[in-house]
Amino acid sequence: MKLYFKYAAMNLKSQMQYKFTFITGVVSRIALSFTSVLSVLFMFTRFNEVEGFTLSQALLCFSVVSMAFSLTEVFARGFDIMPRMLGNGEFDRCLVRPRGMIFQVLASHMEFARLSIFVSAVAVLCYAVPNSGVVWTWDKIITLILMIVCGAVVFFGLFIIYAAFSFFTVEGLEFMNVLTHGGKEFGRYPFVIYGDGVLRFLTYVVPMALFQYYPLLYLLGRERSKLYMFMPLFALLFILPSYGFFRLGLRYYKSTGS
């Protein structure tokens, strides 16, 4: 961990060399993230509820998914730019270093400007929490924390899968953005509004509903079972096949010769 924090400090120091660029990037991303909030607001100016969920409850979903995604973008950025690392030969240097591959990719690239999305999501959460109708007890607070942390792990798994595909194709596969960036956008509303088929897919294949929709039902008091409270923990299992696919891709990796 000491080495990881040293890498993090180096990444932050290098990005802060251009302070104006860093600050403008943060401000622009905050402004851009609030445009997504406006789209939710416009929806609820026409409809008071969507599938029985109010504006504040939808914003609670929005903030949870946005925070989870932003944490992954900051600290797992190396997997998102894996095609570039393969193309310029940067990944080949990782192969000859005496550290784990996951650690090296994680530590190589961190974009702290993307924490701006996390900041804007926290602002949305501060509005949604007192207006969502949730009776906030200790178990509800723990549930909310699990939703954010486990959500970040699920997105991390998707980033790993995206990187693993790059071992076979060299170039990144754009369809994965439907699940990564698209998952963030779809997560503005409870996943149930997209239909039973989508909900099943996001439960059993890519378990986003396990950290967004089902624990939300527990927060709102629509489900009393503690199983719904701990649903986000089941989503952590997604990291196992993601890592397995990454190891498989690594076995068949051939250098581009750059």
Side-chain angles (χ1 to χ4, degrees):
M1 288 302 295
K2 183 178 179 180
L3 181 60
Y4 179 80
F5 287 125
K6 187 173 182 179
Y7 269 106
M10 291 169 57
N11 275 278
L12 181 60
K13 185 177 180 180
S14 65
Q15 292 167 36
M16 290 299 291
Q17 291 296 314
Y18 303 95
K19 294 182 177 59
F20 180 77
T21 302
F22 182 84
I23 293 172
T24 54
V26 169
V27 172
S28 63
R29 286 190 175 94
I30 289 176
L32 184 62
S33 63
F34 275 114
T35 60
S36 298
V37 178
L38 290 177
S39 67
V40 178
L41 294 176
F42 290 150
M43 170 70 77
F44 281 90
T45 57
R46 185 173 180 85
F47 306 100
N48 292 326
E49 293 184 351
V50 176
E51 291 288 336
F53 294 94
T54 65
L55 170 62
S56 295
Q57 292 164 358
L59 290 178
L60 187 59
C61 289
F62 174 92
S63 59
V64 166
V65 175
S66 294
M67 281 190 278
F69 182 79
S70 66
L71 289 174
T72 307
E73 270 208 312
V74 173
F75 298 106
R77 182 64 175 165
F79 293 97
D80 196 31
I81 63 170
M82 180 64 78
R84 191 180 80 189
M85 294 178 66
L86 297 179
N88 62 18
E90 184 179 352
F91 184 76
D92 291 350
R93 293 199 296 268
C94 297
L95 293 173
V96 297
R97 291 171 179 165
R99 289 287 177 176
M101 201 58 57
I102 296 293
F103 172 82
Q104 291 191 66
V105 177
L106 276 175
S108 62
H109 295 278
M110 304 177 199
E111 292 196 19
F112 291 97
R114 295 179 182 271
L115 279 174
S116 55
I117 300 175
F118 187 89
V119 172
S120 60
V122 169
V124 174
L125 182 66
C126 290
Y127 170 82
V129 162
N131 297 291
S132 58
V134 177
V135 179
W136 291 101
T137 53
W138 282 109
D139 59 324
K140 301 292 180 67
I141 295 172
I142 292 172
T143 302
L144 182 62
I145 294 172
L146 288 176
M147 292 168 73
I148 297 169
V149 174
C150 296
V153 174
V154 171
F155 280 117
F156 178 44
L158 289 172
F159 274 44
I160 291 178
I161 292 173
Y162 173 78
F165 274 119
S166 301
F167 289 130
F168 301 99
T169 63
V170 181
E171 296 294 330
L173 296 179
E174 291 300 321
F175 84 88
M176 284 298 299
N177 288 330
V178 175
L179 299 175
T180 53
H181 294 82
K184 170 180 165 291
E185 295 301 315
F186 294 148
R188 291 181 293 181
Y189 306 98
F191 286 128
V192 69
I193 75 168
Y194 302 110
D196 292 338
V198 173
L199 183 60
R200 282 195 292 269
F201 177 81
L202 295 177
T203 300
Y204 301 109
V205 182
V206 181
M208 293 185 183
L210 295 184
F211 73 83
Q212 191 244 43
Y213 173 61
Y214 298 109
L216 177 68
L217 297 180
Y218 183 79
L219 289 180
L220 299 177
R222 300 185 184 184
E223 294 289 346
R224 302 289 184 180
S225 173
K226 293 292 184 182
L227 178 64
Y228 284 79
M229 172 185 174
F230 293 108
M231 277 288 186
L233 294 177
F234 292 103
L236 297 179
L237 296 174
F238 182 66
I239 203 68
L240 298 178
S242 302
Y243 178 71
F245 186 49
F246 182 85
R247 296 298 302 178
L248 176 65
L250 189 60
R251 285 178 56 191
Y252 289 94
Y253 169 66
K254 294 181 180 179
S255 175
T256 60
S258 300

